[in-house]
Amino acid sequence: ASEGKGIRECFDAIACHRAHLQQHALLETLHARRQGERFDELVLQYLRQSLQVDGVPKRSAQTLKQQVAAGELSPRQAARRLLASLNLG
């Protein structure tokens, strides 16, 4: 490619692959899966951000972490309590 050779072949291979994906309805499946994954990423990102902002969620998370470290709660119990306090579980 740095010498200008093979570019056409590469382009043709990409076009052929895309046509295959479209013909077998795989492109839509891949797109839907990526969109679902992106949704999950954003939800987790927003939850993490809400726990980093000063206020009740952050204080609650810090308290629960301390209780886990002290052996008073399991990580699962603490996570469930945190989600319940956010009306998410």
Side-chain angles (χ1 to χ4, degrees), residues 15-76:
C16 183
H17 180 66
R18 181 176 179 85
H20 171 77
L21 292 175
Q22 288 175 323
Q23 180 181 2
H24 293 77
L26 298 174
L27 200 56
E28 294 83 8
T29 302
L30 289 172
H31 178 72
R33 184 175 30 176
R34 283 189 197 119
Q35 291 295 85
E37 291 169 355
R38 182 64 180 143
F39 170 80
D40 292 344
E41 291 170 5
L42 288 170
V43 168
L44 291 174
Q45 176 185 339
Y46 294 145
L47 283 172
R48 283 188 193 108
Q49 287 173 349
S50 72
L51 296 176
Q52 293 173 353
V53 175
D54 287 333
V56 175
K58 183 176 181 178
R59 287 193 301 276
S60 181
Q62 289 170 339
T63 300
L64 289 167
K65 279 185 183 181
Q66 291 169 350
Q67 290 175 316
V68 168
E72 299 167 13
L73 292 174
S74 71
R76 183 180 305 274

